[in-house]
Amino acid sequence: MRPFKRELLAQDVRGLLHHLLGSSRLGQIVFTVLTLAALGWFADSCYGVLTAWVEHWALGKPMPTTQVYSALWLTAPLVVLLTLGLIVARRAVRRLVFRVRSSREPRGVRALILFLSVPRGLDADAAVTGSIHDPAVRARLAGPWRMLLEALVFHDERRLEHAIVIESRAAGSKPGSRESRDEFFALLDRLWPERSVLVRPASDLVPELDDGVDFFDLGALVQATDEVLRRLVGETGLRREQVVIDVTGGTKIATAAGAAVALAEGRRFQYVATHDYGVTVYDPTYEQPLQGAAR
């Protein structure tokens, strides 16, 4: 057989083993086969003991003690293999390394959760007109709202369907972005009147957030963001991995809250850079350490 055909055959065999047994490694294959065999013995033993018990109580037949003891012994391999599997799994979990991959060219998402900052500069100026897809128009917004527009445009060019905006409430002498909600949506209506993306305030999903959230209260922010994510998934039927939390807007505490919710869920979050307005999506994951890596 030619080397090329042998390689194709080997790939097919590995693919079949992955499909049937979940791995192509010899040790894992042996462990899986033994576990399946032990599970079969266990099922047969349980059936035999149950049948003997029914015949004993229903028909008065003597209980076959030898068969019962044999059945118990046949369950031992399964108990040993499961115990060994749990030990190996716990050790593997301890070896997992937390990593966060970043991408400037991520795949599109279907929903965004955004934090609305207090406007600055021309953010809420009614004189800003044009199209949101025109970089020159977005460049006129020198304040934090530009980051939100950059995030929306970036994902709108892919497959964005929903965007949820979480606003802040006033804290002492500091104003909140809740007071500027109408101006923000008026800006979207001017620059993006034909949008197919459903952009709405968080209070549409969680009415308790109609007054906004204290962006200086980490606990409240985490709870609010988590509730918005949960209700968005429940209402739209989206999977959680199809939702990205943008941690650009709001306070630094809002950034921490958004990242915390995303990390807890093992989901992606993103940040819009202030120097070039590029969108970076971060994908947290746990991986096995590389062979030979320093401990």
Side-chain angles (χ1 to χ4, degrees):
M1 185 181 295
R2 295 181 181 179
F4 179 69
K5 290 186 177 180
R6 284 200 299 268
E7 178 61 25
L8 288 179
L9 179 60
Q11 291 181 8
D12 290 341
V13 171
R14 286 195 295 268
L16 180 62
L17 290 173
H18 269 288
H19 178 72
L20 295 176
L21 303 176
S23 175
S24 58
R25 294 183 179 181
L26 179 60
Q28 294 182 9
I29 290 174
V30 172
F31 179 81
T32 303
V33 171
L34 289 177
T35 302
L36 291 175
L39 186 60
W41 296 336
F42 175 75
D44 291 341
S45 301
C46 290
Y47 178 77
V49 171
L50 180 61
T51 301
W53 183 84
V54 170
E55 291 178 349
H56 172 71
W57 288 101
L59 303 178
K61 291 184 177 182
M63 194 71 173
T65 308
T66 303
Q67 181 180 353
V68 173
Y69 286 142
S70 299
L72 291 175
W73 277 110
L74 286 175
T75 63
L78 180 63
V79 174
V80 172
L81 287 170
L82 291 178
T83 303
L84 179 61
L86 288 174
I87 293 173
V88 172
R90 291 187 64 179
R91 290 179 178 177
V93 168
R94 293 193 190 105
R95 292 197 301 267
L96 290 178
V97 177
F98 179 73
R99 302 186 189 278
V100 179
R101 294 193 181 96
S102 61
S103 174
R104 292 295 294 268
E105 291 295 332
R107 63 185 185 275
V109 300
R110 296 178 61 183
L112 280 176
I113 295 177
L114 306 156
F115 297 101
L116 184 66
S117 299
V118 175
R120 295 197 304 269
L122 297 178
D123 278 350
D125 193 335
V128 178
T129 58
S131 172
I132 191 176
H133 294 90
D134 185 350
V137 172
R138 298 198 301 272
R140 293 190 61 190
L141 302 176
W145 284 7
R146 177 175 179 181
M147 311 302 181
L148 302 186
L149 299 191
E150 296 289 350
L152 289 168
V153 169
F154 179 86
H155 290 287
D156 178 55
E157 295 173 351
R158 288 156 174 84
R159 54 174 182 170
L160 186 65
E161 298 175 7
H162 301 272
I164 307 299
V165 180
I166 300 177
E167 308 115 352
S168 64
R169 71 162 62 107
S173 60
K174 296 181 179 294
S177 60
R178 170 63 182 86
E179 303 166 5
S180 306
R181 174 199 291 177
D182 293 341
E183 287 81 356
F184 175 73
F185 282 96
L187 176 69
L188 286 183
D189 290 339
R190 287 199 311 274
L191 305 186
W192 201 11
E194 77 291 352
R195 64 182 179 272
S196 59
V197 179
L198 180 58
V199 186
R200 47 187 170 150
S203 57
D204 278 13
L205 290 172
V206 187
E208 297 82 359
L209 300 181
D210 187 58
D211 292 332
V213 186
D214 185 353
F215 275 17
F216 295 94
D217 186 337
L218 180 60
L221 265 171
V222 168
Q223 183 177 355
T225 306
D226 183 70
E227 186 65 16
V228 167
L229 174 62
R230 188 181 67 82
R231 296 200 187 186
L232 176 63
V233 169
E235 178 187 289
T236 62
L238 296 174
R239 299 189 304 274
R240 288 179 178 251
E241 59 267 23
Q242 294 175 315
V243 183
V244 162
I245 300 174
D246 188 293
V247 299
T248 311
T251 61
K252 292 181 180 180
I253 295 178
T255 299
V261 172
L263 291 173
E265 292 287 338
R267 307 306 180 201
R268 293 178 293 165
F269 60 98
Q270 72 175 34
Y271 183 81
V272 181
T274 56
H275 63 285
D276 63 356
Y277 302 102
V279 176
T280 302
V281 174
Y282 299 91
D283 188 3
T285 186
Y286 287 90
E287 299 176 346
Q288 290 283 354
L290 296 176
Q291 294 294 331
R295 295 182 180 179

